[in-house]
Each structure stands twice: as C-alpha cells, then as structure tokens.
Amino acid sequence: MEALPSSEADEQLTADVILELLANRRRRYLLYALRGRNEPIELSKLAEQVAGWEHDVPPDEVAKNEYKSVYVSSVQCHVPKLADAGVVDHDADNHTVVLADRFEQLEPYLRVVVKDEPENSRLYDALEVEGGDGFFGQLRQRLSS
C-alpha cells in the first residue's frame, strides 16, 4: 500500500467528495467495517461482513451470489473510489484494505449518516457495544453534549 505524499495527505476532502463517498450504502458499510481496525483486512472477509449486514444475516450464512456481488463491486468500484480519495489504502497484490489518514476527515460525516441506518439489525448491533463505547454510544454522547 502506498502512502499519499505529505502534500496530498494534508489536503482536505471537498464537500462534493465527502457526499459522493457517503452517498452509497455499500461504501458506508465498508467504512463501518473498517472503522477501529489498525491492521489491513482481506477484502474477502470485508465483503462477507458487508453482505451479512446488507441481508441482515451472520456473515457465514450469506448466499454465495450475495457475497460475490459485494466482493466484485467492492474490488471494481467502491474500494478504488475510497482509495482515490485517500480514505483507505488498498493493496491489490495482497487483496487487503485498511483505513488511511483522510478517514479522519470523513468520520464526522459518517457519524451523521449512521443515524439513518436500520435499527434492530445486525449492522446496528455490530456498531453498538455494551457500555456505550460503540459507534452509536459515542454518537449519542456527542449529540447530548
């Protein structure tokens, strides 16, 4: 994975780029799955998780065609778009992805759009952790202060 040159890494994401990146539900799900990870994850594992959230089933119960749809669109469209924006680093040789420095610019907006995700779903459960330390717990704390 190549790091962005420092001048590019310091550039701010434009409103148009932020809105385009977050407009697609599958890209948001990819970002939710990557959030909090420091190590690269294989795209196949990421696709299983996203497909599970999309169909509200455990990742190991995702139908092969549903998994393939997520994997192919992630490889061909969503991950390259996120990588071009500097939000993720993608290692095409190892088929792995990890969040990059520019994700920090996108995260506050991701915290806004997460409010529209379906409650009572596996995605919601995955983002909510006991004790309020999860994604939604942190969001509630920020909104109440």
Side-chain angles (χ1 to χ4, degrees), residues 62-78:
V62 172
K64 187 175 181 177
N65 64 324
E66 293 165 346
Y67 160 78
K68 187 175 179 179
S69 171
V70 172
Y71 182 82
V72 169
S73 71
S74 295
V75 169
Q76 293 180 351
C77 175
H78 303 302

Side-chain angles (χ1 to χ4, degrees), residues 35 102-112 135 138:
R35 190 177 171 276
R102 284 193 185 168
F103 175 72
E104 291 177 10
Q105 295 177 39
L106 190 65
E107 188 174 26
Y109 303 98
L110 191 63
R111 289 180 178 278
V112 172
F135 196 70
Q138 292 173 10

Side-chain angles (χ1 to χ4, degrees), residues 104-135:
E104 291 177 10
Q105 295 177 39
L106 190 65
E107 188 174 26
Y109 303 98
L110 191 63
R111 289 180 178 278
V112 172
V113 297
V114 74
K115 295 185 290 183
D116 289 333
E117 302 300 352
E119 291 187 31
N120 301 320
S121 67
R122 290 186 180 278
L123 169 66
Y124 193 90
D125 292 343
L127 297 177
E128 180 66 27
V129 176
E130 287 184 38
D133 293 332
F135 196 70

Side-chain angles (χ1 to χ4, degrees), residues 5-77:
S6 60
S7 62
E8 286 183 43
D10 294 338
E11 287 181 23
Q12 294 295 308
L13 294 172
T14 66
D16 288 341
V17 170
I18 290 168
L19 293 172
E20 182 179 352
L21 293 176
L22 297 179
N24 184 278
R25 180 182 63 167
R26 192 165 283 168
R27 276 196 295 274
R28 291 192 309 270
Y29 283 18
L30 287 166
L31 292 169
Y32 296 145
L34 288 169
R35 190 177 171 276
R37 293 182 176 272
N38 296 324
E39 298 296 320
I41 184 172
E42 291 181 13
L43 277 171
S44 59
K45 297 263 185 222
L46 200 56
E48 286 175 355
Q49 182 64 64
V50 170
W53 287 340
E54 285 184 2
H55 298 282
D56 204 27
V57 298
D60 59 344
E61 292 181 18
V62 172
K64 187 175 181 177
N65 64 324
E66 293 165 346
Y67 160 78
K68 187 175 179 179
S69 171
V70 172
Y71 182 82
V72 169
S73 71
S74 295
V75 169
Q76 293 180 351
C77 175

